[in-house]
Amino acid sequence: MPKLRKKTQEKRIKPELGGGFRDYGSGDAILRQRLLEKIHKTFEDFGFDPMETPAVERTEVLLGGEKESGKIIFNVRGSKEKKSDLSLRFDLTVPLARFLAVNPEIPKPFKRYQIGNVWRGESPQAGRYREFLQADLDIAGASSTDADAEIIAVIWKTFKNLGLSKFIIKINNRKVLNGLPQYAGFPEKKLPELLRLVDKKEKIGEEALKKELKKVFKEKVAAKIWEIIAISGDTKTRLIKARETLRGNAAAEEGINELIEIARNLNTAGVLPENWEIDYSVARGLGYYTGSVFETYLTDAKEFGSVASGGRYDFLTVPFTGQKLPTVGGSIGVDRLYAVFEKLNLLKKKQTSVKVLILNLLPELKKEYLELAQVMRAANINTSFYLGDDRAFQAQLAYAVKKEIPYVVILGENESKRSTVTVKNLVTREQKEIPKEKIVEYFKR
Amino acid sequence: MPKLRKKTQEKRIKPELGGGFRDYGSGDAILRQRLLEKIHKTFEDFGFDPMETPAVERTEVLLGGEKESGKIIFNVRGSKEKKSDLSLRFDLTVPLARFLAVNPEIPKPFKRYQIGNVWRGESPQAGRYREFLQADLDIAGASSTDADAEIIAVIWKTFKNLGLSKFIIKINNRKVLNGLPQYAGFPEKKLPELLRLVDKKEKIGEEALKKELKKVFKEKVAAKIWEIIAISGDTKTRLIKARETLRGNAAAEEGINELIEIARNLNTAGVLPENWEIDYSVARGLGYYTGSVFETYLTDAKEFGSVASGGRYDFLTVPFTGQKLPTVGGSIGVDRLYAVFEKLNLLKKKQTSVKVLILNLLPELKKEYLELAQVMRAANINTSFYLGDDRAFQAQLAYAVKKEIPYVVILGENESKRSTVTVKNLVTREQKEIPKEKIVEYFKR
């Protein structure tokens, strides 16, 4: 187009990404796809069905769940519009609550999963991203702790299916923390601040948290808080200790009883004890959790923070319907998990899924090349036909090597006369001439 | 949380979607997922690898491809930012051009596909959506028409793999249209207007287009334009007629020769002649196409417009690098295609992928239920364990029926004693008591 050609003289546009955004080239995308397949396969084994909501929602709806999130939201505005009431979703939970409010007829329990991006409109900073891929699963309309335990069991099974073994799911119940004002003797209104503080424990460490608690609370109060959130030992010990210490504290007792039921279910469902523990310091920052809460850390890569988290949020539909709907869910941070796989070298990255490159050597043999490609593709062998401008044999071979395609198929004059093809393995450098009609068989061995 | 509980008294938030956005509940999402699996599988058979770019790009980059698009763009702004240089992508092609400009070292030809949403910031109108799912595939660094033909062949094979047979891919070459000013005798600068007009042919029909041409061009000019764009007959006739009529018109001749090569490749690659044709009226609205262009219509559902389109755009990297990069690509409008499948009833929608619901009848048998679920899931049978609050047998059965789950597994006191389970088929209403250890075998028949 003449219009575009003229641009050579025009000012160049920097081919840059916006701050906090990134590309995933083929090597990364292939691996991420493999992770996602395992994740959604596991979710479906457990009876969760997919669901999709749009990336853009009414801002009012997004803030309905939790006002604090407004600070980190991305507003979206059509270029002809003066003002905007739309924003990009910052999680997949508030959109689910909106969906449930609008579709009250859906049979409950409703078990759904959604895999999609979420966006955070924070200022870009080195190493902090503003677009994340999350895999969420939720059970709406189930108040039994069987549902809480199932969410945790699915997360566990997903991690196992991803080949991970060194991880720990730390489980708590908000009700235990809700019992702390009464137990430790501080005003109810200071609870949110306490939740924010203990939420930082994995990041800043026990000693730093201890200090921070002492800054905010009186020494005696801080000590009583510490007494609970630092309870250690095996699962049984942790449950018994907390129950004894908090006896008579209604909220906390309810929370501990729920933890006992969840622990029992996890054992029955075969969730390995080495992969989960009760931790009374787990709080989850978000305001909407009402019961169980959990975070998941990779023991070899704690610096990545929690890679899967969730909990029970029975009141999230209240702003929309005025009625509570008992719901529990979990969310896997796929991008974060992917970063862990990369850092720990847990999966071998490959640049391409192409198995075979058919070289494009002689124009008069193009018909044979295309027919060959057709046969291979019909047999589900990922096959590329060389389409580059450099038609020299060496150039095409070099291309296959650079792309890390494992095999090339050579069909020249001699092969054509003999109705054969030469298959060259670019890893072992071996090559072999085989009858043309045996080609699928050769690759299907 | 007390904060949320208070909201019952507060003003309610309407659980509404933004105009032009929509949800896909499980029934839709399951089907869409099946479409997507077939699409990406076919792309991979042909040697295309996945790639991902972010939803948000710098506005300047997005407009680099084509200024007109600015009118329909969605701006994105972090809530603390005064102004914004970011927008949501309106297609997947401009981001690819940006990616290629930034990563010049990538081995060429680079064959990639990307499946993702794009957004259009137009004013919401009934039936017009502002978020679309697209599946794009492109070959960068290949100037041969073999690449153009391959893109069309992949689109064809994808549609065939989706079970479609009644569709037609209409193929043209921009160079033929670029030859029209000289042939029909009108100034070069009127060409963009002509492209916009002929682009409307499928929508408004031949007669209306004829009239519109006469409004814009002198009668003699309009007649000569019509003579070319209305060429009919079989493929051979269309090619010969155009070649004869436009002989000596350098641009047009080059275009026709390219069409001849593409036609030859399509035949060799086994693309059925009933599914494609040369149509000199195909223009594609976008400014960036430089060679072949194509549109795909479903013969039973023309009202949906083109469901897959594309072409060659050799200059799209020029605004970024100052250098052309021969590239050809195609794009399937997944949402539009899905709407067609729905309208023509081509796929049976199912509400759930769950095959079996294990009823949750007796608390003391929970261990058995959970163990059973574990065994089934390990055998890849999508299994749900009833988690609802209503524990009555009839309520649980009714839930399975409403959810259209085909089987329930009943394990009561008697079954437990006998180490059996009763499997009830909710479609045929048959039920059968089988030994517990035979359950996987039963469902794997």
Side-chain angles (χ1 to χ4, degrees):
Chain A
M1 289 302 301
K3 224 199 329 180
L4 276 164
R5 239 172 250 147
K6 253 184 270 160
K7 291 222 174 95
T8 28
Q9 282 95 38
E10 283 176 21
K11 191 182 145 271
R12 295 269 169 77
I13 297 162
K14 273 201 206 122
E16 260 178 0
L17 274 170
F21 294 95
R22 62 198 145 166
D23 293 319
Y24 289 101
S26 295
D28 293 303
I30 290 168
L31 263 196
R32 276 159 61 86
Q33 207 163 284
R34 273 168 61 197
L35 291 193
L36 285 182
E37 272 162 24
K38 285 188 180 155
I39 291 171
H40 91 230
K41 168 80 177 57
T42 311
F43 289 2
E44 291 187 359
D45 283 345
F46 277 80
F48 290 78
D49 284 311
M51 198 191 86
E52 294 168 45
T53 62
V56 175
E57 296 261 358
R58 289 173 54 240
T59 310
E60 192 194 21
V61 163
L62 293 178
L63 300 188
E66 217 212 351
K67 291 260 156 43
E68 297 155 51
S69 318
K71 296 174 207 159
I72 55 153
I73 225 165
F74 261 130
N75 289 113
V76 161
R77 189 173 51 82
S79 47
K80 279 177 180 169
E81 289 159 2
K82 281 261 182 297
K83 54 179 200 141
S84 151
D85 66 343
L86 299 175
S87 294
L88 289 172
R89 64 186 177 209
F90 56 82
D91 73 9
L92 300 170
T93 309
V94 178
L96 171 65
R98 193 258 314 137
F99 178 85
L100 289 166
V102 126
N103 298 288
E105 77 293 350
I106 286 181
K108 309 279 182 328
F110 176 60
K111 290 169 68 170
R112 84 89 169 84
Y113 73 90
Q114 182 168 9
I115 298 174
N117 278 315
V118 301
W119 294 268
R120 307 276 161 94
E122 298 162 291
S123 306
Q125 279 177 26
R128 198 194 271 181
Y129 292 102
R130 305 205 282 175
E131 181 181 68
F132 309 87
L133 186 59
Q134 294 203 327
D136 273 32
L137 77 167
D138 296 86
I139 306 170
S143 46
S144 148
T145 48
D146 290 348
D148 305 60
E150 181 166 293
I151 293 289
I152 295 167
V154 183
I155 299 280
W156 174 76
K157 190 68 186 171
T158 306
F159 276 55
K160 293 297 278 185
N161 286 346
L162 286 169
L164 294 168
S165 56
K166 293 176 179 169
F167 65 93
I168 185 104
I169 307 175
K170 289 168 176 278
I171 306 166
N172 193 12
N173 194 299
R174 270 289 180 89
K175 291 169 186 168
V176 177
L177 297 169
N178 291 345
L180 286 182
Q182 189 201 326
Y183 174 73
F186 64 90
E188 193 89 30
K189 67 172 198 289
K190 272 188 122 172
L191 186 58
E193 198 173 352
L194 176 67
L195 297 186
R196 268 196 302 280
L197 274 181
V198 296
D199 211 29
K200 287 157 69 182
K201 190 181 125 196
E202 289 299 318
K203 216 171 169 182
I204 63 173
E206 294 207 348
E207 284 316 304
L209 173 61
K210 225 168 173 172
K211 269 182 205 157
E212 295 227 18
L213 283 175
K214 281 182 192 161
K215 273 187 227 162
V216 177
F217 298 95
K218 284 182 206 141
E219 191 159 342
K220 235 177 86 183
V221 172
K224 288 198 92 172
I225 292 171
W226 190 256
E227 192 193 341
I228 301 298
I229 62 172
I231 284 175
S232 62
D234 61 20
T235 300
K236 210 173 156 187
T237 309
R238 289 179 192 212
L239 288 167
I240 290 171
K241 243 186 190 168
R243 189 158 60 176
E244 279 169 6
T245 316
L246 291 159
R247 199 177 297 278
N249 186 316
E253 275 195 7
E254 202 181 309
I256 293 161
N257 286 334
E258 289 181 13
L259 284 172
I260 291 170
E261 289 171 45
I262 290 171
R264 204 174 282 146
N265 272 28
L266 293 181
N267 284 327
T268 305
V271 177
L272 294 179
E274 67 207 54
N275 293 128
W276 65 275
E277 65 182 21
I278 306 288
D279 182 336
Y280 298 108
S281 75
V282 169
R284 302 279 301 122
L286 294 168
Y288 54 66
Y289 290 103
T290 53
S292 66
V293 282
F294 68 91
E295 301 273 10
T296 310
Y297 297 92
L298 293 151
T299 18
D300 287 352
K302 279 195 168 174
E303 64 277 25
F304 285 91
S306 173
V307 288
S309 57
R312 176 170 283 280
Y313 53 101
D314 287 350
F315 291 87
L316 203 61
T317 53
V318 170
F320 304 119
T321 62
Q323 279 175 340
K324 73 170 203 162
L325 178 67
T327 306
V328 56
S331 177
I332 298 176
V334 181
D335 284 328
R336 210 178 266 196
L337 198 59
Y338 178 68
V340 173
F341 272 93
E342 249 197 323
K343 198 217 151 190
L344 300 183
N345 263 317
L346 291 175
L347 285 174
K348 222 185 129 35
K349 219 186 258 191
K350 50 178 201 166
Q351 230 203 104
T352 184
S353 302
V354 176
K355 191 161 180 188
V356 184
L357 178 74
I358 298 174
L359 301 190
N360 188 359
L361 299 169
L362 300 172
E364 63 271 26
L365 294 181
K366 192 160 78 179
K367 197 164 180 290
E368 292 193 49
Y369 300 142
L370 288 174
E371 283 165 353
L372 209 54
Q374 217 183 317
V375 169
M376 311 264 284
R377 288 161 184 163
N380 290 324
I381 301 161
N382 292 7
T383 303
S384 210
F385 169 49
Y386 181 79
L387 294 169
D389 294 341
D390 194 339
R391 294 294 161 92
F393 176 80
Q394 281 308 329
Q396 299 189 26
L397 208 62
Y399 169 75
V401 171
K402 246 201 290 184
K403 285 281 290 179
E404 297 167 20
I405 299 171
Y407 294 94
V408 293
V409 164
I410 301 157
L411 202 173
E413 220 176 315
N414 293 332
E415 283 93 350
S416 178
K417 270 187 210 144
R418 292 195 289 264
S419 267
T420 61
V421 292
T422 300
V423 180
K424 189 176 172 76
N425 180 325
L426 292 180
V427 182
T428 64
R429 320 297 290 174
E430 284 170 300
Q431 65 178 54
K432 203 177 166 183
E433 194 174 337
I434 57 169
K436 213 166 143 186
E437 74 272 16
K438 298 260 178 186
I439 187 144
V440 165
E441 200 179 303
Y442 180 89
F443 285 108
K444 285 283 178 188
R445 291 167 313 180
Chain B
M1 288 301 303
K3 226 200 321 181
L4 276 162
R5 239 171 252 151
K6 254 184 271 160
K7 290 220 174 93
T8 29
Q9 283 93 37
E10 282 176 23
K11 191 181 145 272
R12 293 268 169 78
I13 297 162
K14 274 201 205 122
E16 261 178 359
L17 272 171
F21 294 94
R22 65 198 142 164
D23 292 321
Y24 289 101
S26 295
D28 293 303
I30 290 168
L31 264 195
R32 278 160 58 86
Q33 206 163 284
R34 271 169 62 196
L35 291 193
L36 285 182
E37 271 163 23
K38 283 187 181 157
I39 291 171
H40 91 232
K41 170 78 177 57
T42 312
F43 290 1
E44 291 186 358
D45 283 345
F46 277 81
F48 290 78
D49 284 311
M51 197 190 85
E52 294 168 46
T53 62
V56 176
E57 296 260 0
R58 289 172 56 238
T59 309
E60 192 194 20
V61 163
L62 293 177
L63 300 187
E66 219 211 350
K67 292 260 155 42
E68 299 154 52
S69 316
K71 297 173 205 159
I72 55 152
I73 225 165
F74 261 130
N75 289 112
V76 160
R77 190 172 51 81
S79 47
K80 280 177 179 168
E81 289 159 1
K82 281 262 180 298
K83 54 179 203 143
S84 150
D85 65 344
L86 298 175
S87 292
L88 289 172
R89 64 186 177 207
F90 56 83
D91 73 9
L92 300 170
T93 309
V94 178
L96 171 64
R98 193 258 314 137
F99 178 85
L100 289 167
V102 126
N103 297 288
E105 76 295 349
I106 286 181
K108 309 279 182 326
F110 177 59
K111 291 169 68 170
R112 85 88 168 85
Y113 73 90
Q114 182 167 10
I115 298 174
N117 278 315
V118 301
W119 294 268
R120 306 277 159 94
E122 298 162 291
S123 305
Q125 278 178 30
R128 197 193 272 181
Y129 292 101
R130 306 206 282 176
E131 180 180 69
F132 308 88
L133 187 58
Q134 295 204 327
D136 274 32
L137 77 167
D138 296 85
I139 307 170
S143 44
S144 149
T145 49
D146 291 348
D148 304 60
E150 181 165 294
I151 292 290
I152 295 168
V154 182
I155 298 280
W156 174 77
K157 189 68 187 172
T158 305
F159 276 55
K160 293 297 278 183
N161 286 348
L162 286 169
L164 295 168
S165 55
K166 293 174 180 176
F167 65 92
I168 184 106
I169 308 175
K170 290 168 176 279
I171 306 166
N172 193 12
N173 193 300
R174 271 288 180 89
K175 291 170 187 167
V176 177
L177 297 169
N178 291 345
L180 285 183
Q182 190 202 326
Y183 174 73
F186 65 88
E188 193 88 31
K189 68 174 195 291
K190 273 187 121 172
L191 186 59
E193 199 174 351
L194 176 67
L195 297 186
R196 266 196 303 279
L197 274 181
V198 297
D199 211 31
K200 287 157 69 181
K201 192 181 124 196
E202 288 300 317
K203 216 170 169 181
I204 62 173
E206 293 206 349
E207 284 317 303
L209 174 60
K210 225 169 173 169
K211 268 183 206 156
E212 295 228 19
L213 283 176
K214 279 181 194 160
K215 273 187 229 160
V216 177
F217 298 95
K218 286 183 204 138
E219 192 158 341
K220 235 176 83 182
V221 171
K224 289 199 91 173
I225 293 170
W226 190 255
E227 192 192 340
I228 302 298
I229 64 172
I231 285 175
S232 63
D234 61 18
T235 299
K236 210 174 158 186
T237 310
R238 287 179 193 213
L239 287 167
I240 290 170
K241 242 187 193 167
R243 188 157 60 175
E244 278 168 6
T245 317
L246 291 159
R247 199 178 297 279
N249 187 317
E253 276 195 8
E254 202 182 307
I256 292 160
N257 286 335
E258 289 181 12
L259 284 173
I260 291 170
E261 290 172 44
I262 290 171
R264 202 173 284 146
N265 272 30
L266 293 181
N267 284 328
T268 304
V271 178
L272 293 178
E274 70 209 52
N275 292 129
W276 65 276
E277 66 182 20
I278 305 289
D279 182 335
Y280 297 108
S281 75
V282 169
R284 302 282 296 121
L286 294 170
Y288 54 65
Y289 290 102
T290 53
S292 66
V293 282
F294 68 92
E295 300 273 12
T296 310
Y297 297 93
L298 293 150
T299 18
D300 288 351
K302 279 195 171 173
E303 66 277 24
F304 284 92
S306 173
V307 288
S309 57
R312 177 170 284 280
Y313 52 101
D314 286 350
F315 290 88
L316 204 61
T317 53
V318 170
F320 304 119
T321 62
Q323 280 174 342
K324 73 171 202 160
L325 178 67
T327 306
V328 56
S331 177
I332 297 175
V334 181
D335 283 328
R336 208 177 268 195
L337 198 60
Y338 178 69
V340 174
F341 272 93
E342 250 196 323
K343 197 216 152 192
L344 300 183
N345 262 318
L346 291 175
L347 285 174
K348 223 183 129 35
K349 220 185 256 190
K350 49 176 202 167
Q351 230 204 103
T352 184
S353 301
V354 176
K355 192 164 181 187
V356 185
L357 178 74
I358 298 174
L359 300 191
N360 189 359
L361 299 169
L362 300 172
E364 62 272 26
L365 295 181
K366 193 160 79 180
K367 197 165 180 287
E368 291 193 48
Y369 301 142
L370 288 174
E371 283 164 354
L372 210 54
Q374 215 183 320
V375 169
M376 311 264 285
R377 288 162 184 164
N380 289 324
I381 301 160
N382 293 7
T383 303
S384 210
F385 168 49
Y386 181 80
L387 295 168
D389 294 342
D390 194 340
R391 295 292 162 92
F393 175 80
Q394 282 307 329
Q396 299 190 26
L397 209 61
Y399 169 74
V401 170
K402 247 202 290 184
K403 284 281 290 178
E404 298 167 20
I405 298 170
Y407 295 94
V408 293
V409 164
I410 302 157
L411 202 172
E413 219 176 317
N414 292 333
E415 283 93 349
S416 177
K417 270 186 211 144
R418 292 195 289 264
S419 267
T420 62
V421 293
T422 301
V423 180
K424 188 175 172 76
N425 180 326
L426 292 181
V427 184
T428 63
R429 320 297 291 175
E430 285 170 298
Q431 65 179 56
K432 204 178 166 184
E433 193 174 339
I434 58 169
K436 213 166 139 187
E437 73 271 16
K438 299 256 176 186
I439 188 145
V440 165
E441 201 179 302
Y442 180 89
F443 286 109
K444 285 283 178 189
R445 290 168 312 179

